[in-house]
Amino acid sequence: MPKRILAVTALAAAIGSPVAANAQADITVGRAAPGVVIERGAGIAVDQRSAFRDYVVEQRVPAFTIPDRVVVGTVLPDAGITYYDVPQRFGATTYRYTVVNGATLLVEPRSRRIVEVMD
């Protein structure tokens, strides 16, 4: 009986490990607020991030300032910040972008939750 319990425990640990590793990979840059889970969506590809940052600078979008830290998982205020569409050339994405506290952010438009911080 103890061997069976040990075997079941080992199997559960082996199955659970990839899930835990995958959950950590869902957070892109920064730290999520405690208890917040951010799922990876269609964001900006790693090889496109530099070009996307250049694009944002070229667009001269206004930068906004908030008193809170800008980290993945933070919900931005519902008023006072403008969000912009991400051009198709940077990949099909459901997110929008804005610049807050000097950082370019990808934001989930319905919840206004930060999903990626690109410094």
Side-chain angles (χ1 to χ4, degrees), residues 10-98:
L11 179 61
I15 292 171
S17 294
V19 173
N22 189 23
Q24 289 177 356
D26 288 342
I27 297 174
T28 52
V29 177
R31 294 182 308 171
V36 174
V37 176
I38 304 297
E39 294 185 23
R40 184 177 302 268
I44 306 297
V46 173
D47 61 338
Q48 289 286 319
R49 289 183 185 165
S50 178
F52 180 69
R53 281 191 223 100
D54 292 344
Y55 168 81
V56 172
V57 170
E58 290 169 5
Q59 295 304 302
R60 298 182 185 201
V61 298
F64 300 94
T65 303
I66 61 171
D68 300 325
R69 288 184 46 214
V70 176
V71 295
V72 171
T74 299
V75 175
L76 296 174
D78 59 351
I81 296 179
T82 304
Y83 303 95
Y84 304 92
D85 292 326
V86 175
Q88 283 288 336
R89 70 178 185 225
F90 297 111
T93 180
T94 59
Y95 303 132
R96 300 187 84 195
Y97 78 91
T98 191

